[in-house]
Amino acid sequence: SSGINAEYGPLSNSVLDRANLCITVGKGSSSKSASLWECSTEKIKLLAKAPLTSNGTGLAFLSHKTFVTGGDNSDNQALQVWSVTGEDLEGSSTLKTSNKLTTHVSATEKLVASVGEEGYLQVHLPSQSRPVYSTKCEMCLNTSSFYLTHSVLVGTAAGQVHCYDTRQQGDVPATTMSSELVSILGIAVHTTQPSIIANSRSDGSLLIWDMRNNRYPLATFAGHASAIWEVQFEKEKSDNLYTCSEDGQLLMWNGAALSGVGGLLGGGGKVSPWLTPEISHQKMDVFNLLGGDNKLSINSFDVLQGKVVCGGARQTLFCTDSCDE
């Protein structure tokens, strides 16, 4: 594809020194690069750009200034580890994967998880080129998220969310959540109550699950007119949820406004309103942070300290305020 049709993929601004810096990865003959940007609601400025060895199909931060990108290399070195040095980007190493096309990358401070079209979930130490854990699903895996200490959640093209225990070798997941044969595109774990899982789907729907009782979803919302690429709980206000979609919308789901719905935990802690059975019957306040004018697909976003950065089709990059009302 040409640079005209290039798209910015996953991005993040959440762990850099300055909250107004973000990273994007792009694809296409003229946009196959990792880029460092200064972003605010007043201006967006390119600070540095570094070429990728393949189309950028995933991005996740490992540490304060280290991130990993995924791509579509045919030589099985589809992951690259990078460092942010001042206002520059430096590539440091590559990680071998069994997926010729990596669809998603997630990370903790010590581990990298990648999934891809060939159905492999592989976990790496960033200092080792070969994976320390590998398992294979019989279908394409679209997304992943670390869960608790030793587990990884993956979303399949057949509408399943598998949870794999990385301490156990083998291809059988520890648990599976399934509701209709609709492709899972995004997975998010609640910031303070990790039993709450959200996943987004290719038909524009959003599902909320309780991992402790996951036979059926707690709630299903028809949020977008087409595929929801990503879903994320806000870090500072953990009951607020964000989604971005092919329909050009970036939505904020104001779960915090439903705080009166929740109860108390046994230790006096607060139960998230997302966990209550009444959530599916509550009127949810939902705000489109980009207004109604944008028609370009929004592929990825990140939220930090009241600011939202999102990237989409035709090399578009937006920075806007989150909605606290």
Side-chain angles (χ1 to χ4, degrees):
S1 61
S2 68
I4 296 175
N5 297 319
E7 297 179 352
Y8 282 103
L11 56 91
S12 181
N13 69 337
S14 59
V15 295
L16 296 179
D17 265 338
R18 292 152 52 188
N20 63 338
L21 295 183
C22 76
I23 302 288
T24 63
V25 293
K27 56 186 177 181
S29 57
S30 64
S31 303
K32 196 164 59 177
S33 60
S35 301
L36 176 66
W37 303 82
E38 181 178 5
C39 295
S40 69
T41 53
E42 290 78 28
K43 67 175 182 177
I44 298 177
K45 178 183 178 183
L46 178 64
L47 301 178
K49 179 181 287 191
L52 297 171
T53 58
S54 63
N55 283 313
T57 58
L59 182 151
F61 276 94
L62 281 156
S63 64
H64 193 54
K65 292 188 177 181
T66 307
F67 64 95
V68 60
T69 59
D72 58 359
N73 280 2
S74 59
D75 60 1
N76 293 342
Q77 290 188 337
L79 304 181
Q80 290 180 269
V81 181
W82 299 82
S83 297
V84 181
T85 56
E87 294 186 353
D88 202 4
L89 302 176
E90 294 182 1
S92 58
S93 63
T94 57
L95 307 177
K96 294 181 180 294
T97 74
S98 299
N99 290 303
K100 292 185 179 180
L101 173 59
T102 298
T103 54
H104 191 264
V105 179
S106 55
T108 66
E109 292 183 356
K110 297 180 179 180
L111 296 171
V112 177
S114 63
V115 295
E117 281 195 347
E118 286 73 24
Y120 286 98
L121 161 65
Q122 295 184 310
V123 178
H124 285 83
L125 292 169
S127 59
Q128 297 181 16
S129 63
R130 296 190 178 278
V132 295
Y133 174 83
S134 180
T135 189
K136 190 175 189 300
C137 185
E138 295 303 317
M139 63 195 73
C140 173
L141 300 179
N142 294 323
T143 185
S144 65
S145 178
F146 280 93
Y147 178 68
L148 301 178
T149 306
H150 301 290
S151 298
V152 181
L153 300 170
V154 300
T156 78
Q160 299 167 320
V161 176
H162 295 312
C163 181
Y164 288 97
D165 187 336
T166 59
R167 297 167 296 183
Q168 305 292 325
Q169 294 297 325
D171 297 334
V172 179
T175 186
T176 294
M177 298 178 290
S178 181
S179 177
E180 303 176 341
L181 297 177
V182 181
S183 185
I184 305 296
L185 300 180
I187 298 175
V189 180
H190 192 278
T191 310
T192 59
Q193 296 185 38
S195 63
I196 306 171
I197 306 296
N199 65 253
S200 59
R201 304 196 297 185
S202 59
D203 64 351
S205 61
L206 173 70
L207 274 63
I208 306 297
W209 299 83
D210 183 353
M211 285 290 286
R212 300 166 301 180
N213 184 16
N214 59 13
R215 185 175 181 181
Y216 302 105
L218 284 175
T220 301
F221 299 97
H224 290 268
S226 52
I228 303 177
W229 300 124
E230 282 192 2
V231 57
Q232 183 182 135
F233 286 101
E234 187 174 353
K235 297 174 181 65
E236 291 88 2
K237 296 183 178 180
S238 57
D239 286 327
N240 284 343
L241 187 72
Y242 294 78
T243 54
C244 68
S245 171
E246 186 179 38
D247 65 10
Q249 295 189 95
L250 174 66
L251 299 184
M252 193 276 275
W253 304 69
N254 192 8
L258 302 177
S259 58
V261 176
L264 294 177
L265 297 170
K270 183 180 175 183
V271 175
S272 169
W274 292 103
L275 271 181
T276 61
E278 294 86 357
I279 187 65
S280 60
H281 307 296
Q282 293 290 316
K283 178 176 172 57
M284 177 71 67
D285 291 332
V286 181
F287 305 93
N288 181 9
L289 301 184
L290 298 181
D293 296 332
N294 178 59
K295 303 302 180 184
L296 298 174
S297 174
I298 300 300
N299 301 336
S300 185
F301 68 95
D302 203 4
V303 185
L304 180 69
Q305 297 175 359
K307 302 293 181 185
V308 184
V309 179
C310 57
R314 300 184 184 177
Q315 305 181 43
T316 52
L317 187 61
F318 299 94
C319 182
T320 185
D321 294 318
S322 64
C323 185
D324 294 326
E325 300 300 325

